[in-house]
Amino acid sequence: DELDIQAKDIPGWSVASRNGLTVALDLTLTPELRAEGDARELVNRIQNLRKDMDLALTDRIAVQYKAGQNVKISFDAFTPYICAEILADSFDYSPSLTSGVEIEINDSPIIINVRKKEN
């Protein structure tokens, strides 16, 4: 006649209940999710650089970067996405790059050099 329901925490999950509705989210960060997060963070940073450079919304750019291997792998996996979002005609890894803007993504130092492409 009676049913006793008890909520327990599940490691790696976040659970919330309200008005008879329960939602559970898996909070596990897979390598794929981390890579996508790195790419999205880079897009955000480069969009801010474009704004700081007073580039027009439609200006095309060329990007060179220097980063650690883990971040490079992330960027390699999402190069088409990155280029489409930032309007880059080129997005090149340059291990010898010494000048540019220094940023950090997930505790990894990165040097980015952005230049406007001439028509």
Side-chain angles (χ1 to χ4, degrees), residues 12 27 29 50 55-56 69 77 97 104 112:
L27 301 178
L29 289 178
R50 287 178 59 95
L55 296 178
Q69 192 61 29
L97 187 65
E104 200 173 277
I112 301 173

Side-chain angles (χ1 to χ4, degrees), residues 54-117:
D54 291 323
L55 296 178
L57 200 58
T58 57
D59 285 341
R60 306 293 297 185
I61 61 174
V63 178
Q64 288 183 305
Y65 74 94
K66 177 181 177 181
Q69 192 61 29
N70 287 342
V71 175
K72 181 186 178 309
I73 290 169
S74 297
F75 295 169
D76 287 348
F78 286 91
T79 295
Y81 162 77
I82 293 168
C83 288
E85 291 294 312
I86 64 173
L87 297 180
D89 288 338
S90 62
F91 181 71
D92 300 315
Y93 174 71
S94 180
S96 60
L97 187 65
T98 57
S99 66
V101 177
E102 295 182 24
I103 65 169
E104 200 173 277
I105 294 178
N106 288 330
D107 299 323
S108 296
I110 301 164
I111 299 174
I112 301 173
N113 188 332
V114 176
R115 67 178 173 81
K116 179 181 173 183
K117 296 283 288 203

Side-chain angles (χ1 to χ4, degrees), residues 6 31 52-53 71 100:
Q6 296 180 358
D52 293 345
M53 294 170 65
V71 175

